[in-house]
Amino acid sequence: NSFCTLLGGSFRSRFRVMPRQPDWNCPKCGHLVFGSKPSCFKCGTTNPAGGSAGGAIAPPTAAPPAAAGKVPDWPCPNCNIIVFGSKPACFKCGAKNPGSAGAPVAPAVTATPKAADWTCPTCALVVFASKPACPKCQTPRPTASATAVDLSKREAELKQREFELEQRLAGAAATDLVAAVPRPAAWGSATTAQALDDVILEPVTDAAQFACFSALVTASTPDTKVPKGFKLLKVWRVKNTALWVQFGTLRQLFSAGTGKKRLPYIPKTTQHLDKRVMAGAEDASGLSGRALATLANEAFLFHGTKPDIAKIITAQGFDERVASLSGLFGGGVYFADNFAKSNAYTSADASGTRHMFVARVLLGDMTDVMSSSKMPRNARRAPDGFDTVCGLSNAHEFIVYDRRQTYPEFLMEYAMTA
């Protein structure tokens, strides 16, 4: 206001503001040109309405041509402004697009969908769909039918490789186990694979070794109780690496540190065999091939059984899980150091042959129980702090409640001829 006052009046009264001339569309190339320009800046065509010569400017009759796939722009019929084709109304005056009532709109161009990438049947590399060959191994892109066949073949190959890898890992683990728990020297040089997969029953043919078992029967049983007509037919050495590794691992644990306590009672079978071991007869006869682990209170004990059960034990070992809970000292595996006691649990097959194991047993910390009244009939384990129960009925019985404490090293076949 102070500025206008100095000029002696209002600004508008002293300076005439000319109205802006509307822009115009070039009739030749369609470009939008400022209203003040007398000719098109691109092609030089003269403004048909006169432009700055002072003539009236004709409203645009059409919008510039639209590119392919794009909705064409449109001139506002009210204020002559060119509006984007995507706008439904003029941004200046609000007039609606006259073409929206049915005017033709250029169709949009739809992009071609991308084909699926493909997997190289040779190296399994995922290749872009546009590539005709694998960039790594140059294998040509297979046809649709060939792809299904190749993928099926590839899947079979991968499964086979996975199986072979699992076998190699299992073999390596088994080798480590066997190395950690050496097999008895009497087993010889059997391969790890044979010992793991098979159960080998090797006959004891040496006369001195065979005589050890006949002597064991006599030494462990009072003369009055030795079964009449007893005749030892065969003795088999059981080679079962899976069971031996299981037994040997616990054997090492039992022997660790200060070892187990002294036994309240030494089994007769162990007394007899220990004398031979101490005298060096074990190495000469090859009876066991490994000395008894005294720190683990390891012992040789009898276990009589039926013919069909003997086959199961040689393959799977003793198992307290299938033991009857009606046993005098609960559900465990029962052994004895008296041949006559174990013989009572055998039965003859069709040929009259009976079966009895001479097993290695880890007695560990053993408690003696004078009667079953001190233990529940359904016991599934030894009393707290103990590994084994020594029960006294009409003879000593040794009950273990963990199958890993046992190994069926020898199987005797015998008959009662009387």
Side-chain angles (χ1 to χ4, degrees):
N1 291 337
S2 60
F3 178 71
C4 293
T5 304
L6 290 174
L7 293 178
S10 67
F11 181 80
R12 288 185 178 274
S13 62
R14 285 186 171 274
F15 298 95
R16 182 181 179 186
V17 180
M18 299 297 294
R20 182 179 180 274
Q21 296 179 356
D23 299 338
W24 54 279
N25 291 95
C26 177
K28 184 176 181 180
C29 65
H31 276 78
L32 185 64
V33 186
F34 288 129
S36 60
K37 302 296 181 182
S39 61
C40 177
F41 65 89
K42 185 170 185 180
C43 63
T45 303
T46 305
N47 185 346
S52 58
I57 298 177
T61 57
K70 180 181 178 183
V71 179
D73 298 339
W74 53 278
C76 175
N78 186 33
C79 64
N80 298 327
I81 292 294
I82 301 299
V83 187
F84 288 130
S86 59
K87 302 298 181 181
C90 176
F91 64 89
K92 187 174 183 179
C93 65
K96 293 185 178 181
N97 184 355
S100 61
V105 178
V109 178
T110 304
T112 304
K114 182 180 179 182
D117 297 337
W118 54 281
T119 303
C120 177
T122 303
C123 64
L125 182 70
V126 177
V127 186
F128 287 126
S130 60
K131 303 295 182 182
C134 175
K136 184 177 181 181
C137 63
Q138 306 306 318
T139 301
R141 177 175 183 169
T143 60
S145 58
T147 300
V149 175
D150 291 340
L151 287 178
S152 177
K153 181 180 178 181
R154 181 64 177 170
E155 182 180 6
E157 291 175 352
L158 290 176
K159 287 183 177 180
Q160 179 63 25
R161 288 175 60 186
E162 182 181 9
F163 173 76
E164 292 174 355
L165 181 59
E166 289 178 352
Q167 292 293 98
R168 288 167 58 187
L169 291 174
T175 302
D176 292 342
L177 282 174
V178 173
V181 184
R183 294 167 296 177
W187 285 19
S189 58
T191 64
T192 302
Q194 289 176 326
L196 285 174
D197 298 337
D198 302 326
V199 176
I200 301 175
L201 294 180
E202 181 182 81
V204 175
T205 56
D206 182 81
Q209 296 177 25
F210 196 84
C212 287
F213 291 93
S214 294
L216 182 63
V217 172
T218 304
S220 66
T221 309
D223 293 338
T224 56
K225 293 186 178 181
V226 174
K228 295 181 179 180
F230 169 80
K231 182 179 181 181
L232 186 61
L233 303 176
K234 292 181 180 179
V235 179
W236 302 92
R237 184 190 300 274
V238 180
K239 295 181 178 181
N240 189 323
T241 296
L243 293 180
W244 178 259
V245 169
Q246 178 178 271
F247 171 79
T249 301
L250 192 61
R251 188 175 188 251
Q252 292 177 353
L253 292 175
F254 271 33
S255 301
T258 58
K260 297 296 180 178
K261 299 176 182 178
R262 293 179 58 85
L263 294 177
Y265 170 79
I266 306 299
K268 296 176 183 178
T269 45
T270 299
Q271 294 176 29
H272 176 69
L273 288 177
D274 265 354
K275 291 176 183 178
R276 303 182 65 86
V277 171
M278 296 306 175
E282 181 185 49
D283 294 336
S285 66
L287 179 61
S288 64
R290 289 186 69 85
L292 296 175
T294 55
L295 290 178
N297 287 333
E298 184 178 5
F300 276 109
L301 295 171
F302 293 118
H303 181 89
T305 188
K306 297 176 174 56
D308 55 333
I309 302 300
K311 296 179 181 178
I312 297 175
I313 293 176
T314 56
Q316 302 178 19
F318 302 103
D319 196 340
E320 80 286 351
R321 295 172 298 181
V322 296
S324 173
L325 288 175
S326 61
L328 193 60
F329 300 97
V333 184
Y334 286 65
F335 297 91
D337 64 345
N338 185 312
F339 176 82
K341 176 69 175 179
S342 294
N343 180 65
Y345 295 93
T346 66
S347 61
D349 60 14
S351 65
T353 302
R354 296 173 182 267
H355 299 78
M356 185 177 296
F357 286 96
V358 177
R360 287 178 180 264
V361 182
L362 301 175
L363 297 176
D365 286 333
M366 185 173 69
T367 179
D368 53 336
V369 178
M370 301 303 293
S371 67
S372 60
S373 60
K374 293 184 179 180
M375 287 190 64
R377 275 296 184 95
N378 61 348
R380 280 293 189 186
R381 61 186 181 88
D384 290 343
F386 296 96
D387 306 301
T388 313
V389 168
C390 177
L392 294 177
S393 50
N394 58 341
H396 286 89
E397 293 183 274
F398 303 85
I399 305 93
V400 298
Y401 304 87
D402 186 344
R403 56 192 175 279
R404 298 174 300 169
Q405 291 177 236
T406 66
Y407 180 75
E409 188 157 11
F410 296 101
L411 174 62
M412 297 192 304
E413 294 183 358
Y414 62 98
M416 314 289 286
T417 57

